[in-house]
Amino acid sequence: RLQGAVDEKDVVAQYFNSNGFERWRKIYSETAEVNRVQRDIRDGHRQTVEAVLHMLDEDGTDYAQHTFCDAGCGVGSLALPLAQRNAKRVTAFDISEAMVNEARRRADELLPPEQRARCDFRVADVEGFRSDHPYDTICCVDVMIHYPTERAEAMLRHLSSMARSRMIITFAPKTLYYVLLKKVGELFPGPSRVTRAYQHSEADIRAALRRLGWQVRREHFTATWFYFSKLLEVVRAPDTPNA
Ligand code: SAM
């Protein structure tokens, strides 16, 4: 099992350091030319990021007092707006050095020095990431799609141990329609072809979170033609010890 896990992670890292980097850097940009499928994915992803920010804003989050960790941050699509809201600290990491470098470049370009200084980017994988301090909120957006459910649950366990009061996570839910969509997609290999994607049973993810002592507070579902992502905001369930 461990051997398989190592291989999986290495394959994903390699993809996001090469072809995947080029593909996703463009999708996660507002200006780069993309094809129609990629544009659809870009729109879907933007909706997910907006849903996360909306949840935080709606709460009246006191950003200046709030620390965030963005696990699998990509090019910083979420980390940057968090920094722009003057978050106390944004720690963003990704397994892909290319993605992290692009996130740093965008942060250097877009953030004024005082916001940039409170934001740091590291190369690390979810389960290997270590921190001395817990984070008020840990986000993990569109990362678990790259791993089978067992690995996704292991990631949640590790993130859970570093989260003080909240986690915001997304995954691709396994429903009949999306299983079929994926099968159809697999019939069309080509430049727009997505990397291997895993869908997770929503019941499994919810049960894993419950076992770790979390309860769902709010949820959101984004679905476009080619992008779909279930978002769960979880908070510590009463009377459960911190994981
Ligand atoms: N969360 C970002 C966002 O929503 O804009 C990026 C999403 S992108 C589809 C998936 C990202 O997860 C990639 O940047 C990839 O390198 C990263 N990733 C995949 N496996 C990871 C792991 N085990 N640890 C950390 N990052 C990982």
Side-chain angles (χ1 to χ4, degrees):
R1 178 173 172 262
L2 193 64
Q3 188 57 44
V6 169
D7 291 347
E8 198 104 50
K9 216 173 56 183
D10 291 347
V11 170
V12 175
Q14 201 185 0
Y15 170 74
F16 279 102
N17 273 319
S18 55
N19 296 355
F21 170 67
E22 275 313 312
R23 173 183 159 84
W24 290 97
R25 181 184 61 77
K26 281 196 250 157
I27 292 175
Y28 294 156
S29 139
E30 272 157 34
T31 49
E33 285 281 323
V34 287
N35 65 37
R36 277 177 48 212
V37 173
Q38 293 169 333
R39 183 173 301 278
D40 176 86
I41 295 171
R42 176 190 282 176
D43 290 344
H45 175 257
R46 189 188 297 130
Q47 289 175 38
T48 292
V49 171
E50 278 167 10
V52 174
L53 294 169
H54 178 74
M55 280 182 180
L56 294 167
D57 290 345
E58 191 180 59
D59 268 5
T61 301
D62 184 1
Y63 287 96
Q65 299 301 322
H66 209 93
T67 59
F68 291 91
C69 174
D70 186 11
C73 62
V75 298
S77 308
L78 177 62
L80 265 61
L82 292 174
Q84 283 165 333
R85 282 164 166 73
N86 288 313
K88 180 177 177 184
R89 190 90 222 151
V90 180
T91 302
F93 71 87
D94 197 285
I95 199 170
S96 154
E97 188 173 2
M99 294 298 254
V100 170
N101 285 339
E102 175 66 9
R104 283 201 188 104
R105 194 192 63 74
R106 292 187 186 193
D108 292 344
E109 187 178 294
L110 296 169
L111 300 178
E114 63 283 5
Q115 288 175 355
R116 180 66 187 87
R118 290 195 295 269
C119 195
D120 91 272
F121 296 94
R122 301 187 207 160
V123 180
D125 75 275
V126 169
E127 287 163 278
F129 180 79
R130 295 280 175 274
S131 166
D132 299 338
H133 308 284
Y135 298 94
D136 293 318
T137 296
I138 293 188
C139 302
C140 187
V141 174
D142 296 355
V143 177
M144 291 192 294
I145 189 167
H146 301 299
Y147 298 91
T149 300
E150 194 177 83
R151 301 294 312 157
E153 290 180 3
M155 288 178 167
L156 288 176
R157 204 174 312 128
H158 182 61
L159 293 176
S160 176
S161 72
M162 301 187 297
R164 185 176 286 130
S165 50
R166 167 167 52 193
M167 297 201 292
I168 297 178
I169 60 120
T170 74
F171 59 96
K174 190 170 200 158
T175 64
L176 184 59
Y177 173 73
Y178 291 122
V179 169
L180 288 174
L181 185 67
K182 187 176 163 216
K183 284 213 158 53
V184 171
E186 283 164 0
L187 299 175
F188 300 98
S192 68
R193 172 97 165 75
V194 234
T195 180
R196 185 163 181 192
Y198 292 91
Q199 296 158 339
H200 304 297
S201 132
E202 188 168 337
D204 288 348
I205 298 294
R206 283 176 182 266
L209 288 163
R210 208 164 34 241
R211 281 195 300 275
L212 292 165
W214 298 92
Q215 67 184 27
V216 174
R217 185 160 70 172
R218 284 173 291 184
E219 51 194 280
H220 180 85
F221 182 53
T222 305
T224 62
W225 285 102
F226 301 101
Y227 173 97
F228 44 99
S229 186
K230 176 82 199 198
L231 187 162
L232 297 178
E233 178 207 39
V234 296
V235 294
R236 295 251 176 229
D239 302 329
T240 48
N242 285 9

